[in-house]
Amino acid sequence: MAEGNHSSMAEFVLLGFTDLQELLFVIFLLSYLTTLVGNLGMIILIKTNSRLHVPIYFFLSHLSFLDICYSSSIMLKLLLGLLAERNVISFNGCITQFFFFAVFGTTEAVLLAVMAYDRYLAIRQPLHYSVAMSHGVCLQLVVGSYAAGSLNTLMHTSALLRLTFCGPNLINHFHCEAPPLLLLSCSDTWLNDMVMAVCVGFIIMTSVLAIVVSYACILLTIWSMRSAEGRHKVFSTCSSHLMAVALYYGSAAFLYFHPFSRHAGDQGKTASIFCTIVTPMLNPFIYSLRNKEVRSTLRRALEKLLSCLYSHRSRSNRTEAGIPCHSSVSRRNKADT
């Protein structure tokens, strides 16, 4: 372990939350189940409804997939840790958790910028939208988002693996994150600080710039509209995305660009909770409640499900009462006889 990972530590202890662990377990478990149900429901809804087979919902289905993976990379270990007396994670497990957390988190940041660009094309250039956002282009943008997330994470992970961790092994966090990990290293972390500042800064700044420019052009388009109904419709299609962007980038900016982010302690944990738990849980509700097309599709799906359940219950009641389902046919046959 010491030679392969340049570390004398075999494991870390995640301090996490020391108070009200049973209550926090229930809250986080309900939050995680809500995240799974909401995002899986969004994916199924988009895949099974042909009316939602358009670029924005294609991106939204990948956003829901990222939210599931992003949350799962943290929540499963967090829930197990809340039930254990001592929340221990191996060195390799810690690096693995950080890798997947960073991959899905960075990819989501880039994908949110891609979705802003998609809204720009749909509103600013509606006549050329179907050509500019063909299925091939959408696929390339999604693959590019995953590639950017993977490349960024490989650089961070490689920089972490070069460090030596010789004690203590107590991580003041509920998951393996770069800032608290760097505090435990007895090596020079200058390179890690530079990689974090350059890579994270580049990803966030370019993504935010793409979002700001896209929405600036959208606002110019809205102001040029004469119809109040048209302006309201355009704004309603963008408001859900803006809310998701504000939640994600707000917590990420506090987490990584806080002047004392390494020593933020409970403030860093709070920001990380918003990033890893609250945002993935709220995203499907933001898009479903603020999007008319999703609401109508969800309502039709629920009505169809309730109709099937009601018909199944009616058949069961008739069977329990001793009335076979083909009783009407039997009565007609007797009448003919």
Side-chain angles (χ1 to χ4, degrees), residues 21-77:
Q21 291 186 328
E22 293 81 4
L23 177 61
L24 289 175
F25 175 81
V26 174
I27 294 174
F28 289 152
L29 177 61
L30 292 177
S31 301
Y32 182 56
L33 292 177
T34 304
T35 299
L36 291 180
V37 173
N39 285 287
L40 279 174
M42 186 67 71
I43 293 173
I44 295 172
L45 198 67
I46 292 172
K47 294 297 183 183
T48 56
N49 194 316
S50 59
R51 296 179 62 182
L52 300 182
H53 292 175
V54 293
I56 183 59
Y57 297 111
F58 175 74
F59 295 133
L60 183 55
S61 64
H62 280 275
L63 182 68
S64 295
F65 172 74
L66 288 171
D67 280 335
I68 292 173
C69 298
Y70 183 57
S71 182
S72 298
S73 65
I74 303 300
M75 290 297 294
L76 295 177
K77 179 59 180 175

Side-chain angles (χ1 to χ4, degrees), residues 16 172-174 183 254-255 258 260-272:
N172 187 22
H173 215 302
F174 59 87
L183 288 174
F254 182 87
L255 185 61
H258 190 275
F260 305 101
S261 59
R262 283 205 197 181
H263 306 277
D266 292 338
Q267 292 181 345
K269 293 179 186 179
T270 303
S272 191

Side-chain angles (χ1 to χ4, degrees), residues 1-286:
M1 176 68 70
E3 295 179 1
N5 293 314
H6 304 283
S7 174
S8 59
M9 285 188 190
E11 63 183 23
F12 293 105
V13 178
L14 297 170
L15 298 181
F17 306 96
T18 56
D19 299 325
L20 303 175
Q21 291 186 328
E22 293 81 4
L23 177 61
L24 289 175
F25 175 81
V26 174
I27 294 174
F28 289 152
L29 177 61
L30 292 177
S31 301
Y32 182 56
L33 292 177
T34 304
T35 299
L36 291 180
V37 173
N39 285 287
L40 279 174
M42 186 67 71
I43 293 173
I44 295 172
L45 198 67
I46 292 172
K47 294 297 183 183
T48 56
N49 194 316
S50 59
R51 296 179 62 182
L52 300 182
H53 292 175
V54 293
I56 183 59
Y57 297 111
F58 175 74
F59 295 133
L60 183 55
S61 64
H62 280 275
L63 182 68
S64 295
F65 172 74
L66 288 171
D67 280 335
I68 292 173
C69 298
Y70 183 57
S71 182
S72 298
S73 65
I74 303 300
M75 290 297 294
L76 295 177
K77 179 59 180 175
L78 172 60
L79 292 172
L80 290 175
L82 289 172
L83 296 177
E85 295 182 2
R86 191 166 175 264
N87 190 8
V88 177
I89 186 170
S90 67
F91 180 89
N92 291 334
C94 188
I95 297 299
T96 301
Q97 185 187 58
F98 168 77
F99 177 83
F100 285 107
F101 160 77
V103 165
F104 298 126
T106 309
T107 303
E108 181 163 338
V110 179
L111 187 63
L112 286 171
V114 169
M115 294 173 71
Y117 175 68
D118 171 78
R119 292 297 83 204
Y120 157 75
L121 289 179
I123 295 169
R124 189 77 174 179
Q125 302 177 10
L127 297 179
H128 304 283
Y129 177 69
S130 59
V131 177
M133 275 293 173
S134 63
H135 180 71
V137 173
C138 293
L139 193 59
Q140 290 175 6
L141 290 171
V142 169
V143 172
S145 300
Y146 282 96
S150 301
L151 180 61
N152 172 72
T153 304
L154 284 173
M155 296 182 68
H156 286 292
T157 306
S158 299
L160 278 176
L161 289 174
R162 60 175 286 277
L163 298 178
T164 300
F165 297 90
C166 46
N169 66 340
L170 304 177
I171 300 178
N172 187 22
H173 215 302
F174 59 87
H175 69 96
C176 291
E177 175 62 299
L181 272 175
L182 295 181
L183 288 174
L184 304 182
S185 176
C186 48
S187 304
D188 184 7
T189 60
W190 178 85
L191 178 61
N192 298 78
D193 292 330
M194 288 299 298
V195 169
M196 183 180 299
V198 172
C199 294
V200 175
F202 177 79
I203 292 291
I204 291 183
M205 293 304 294
T206 53
S207 299
V208 169
L209 181 63
I211 293 171
V212 170
V213 171
S214 298
Y215 276 103
C217 296
I218 291 173
L219 284 176
L220 291 175
T221 304
I222 293 175
W223 286 338
S224 64
M225 291 180 175
R226 297 181 179 180
S227 170
E229 182 180 354
R231 289 196 296 268
H232 176 73
K233 182 178 180 181
V234 170
F235 181 77
S236 64
T237 60
C238 301
S239 59
S240 55
H241 180 255
L242 283 173
M243 292 176 64
V245 167
L247 275 174
Y248 185 84
Y249 280 97
S251 54
F254 182 87
L255 185 61
Y256 289 102
F257 294 104
H258 190 275
F260 305 101
S261 59
R262 283 205 197 181
H263 306 277
D266 292 338
Q267 292 181 345
K269 293 179 186 179
T270 303
S272 191
I273 286 174
F274 270 93
C275 269
T276 60
I277 300 175
V278 177
T279 300
M281 179 182 66
L282 292 182
N283 274 344
F285 297 99
I286 290 173

Side-chain angles (χ1 to χ4, degrees), residues 306-317:
L306 291 175
S307 176
C308 292
L309 291 175
Y310 178 76
S311 61
H312 176 73
R313 183 178 178 182
S314 298
R315 287 195 298 269
S316 300
N317 290 338

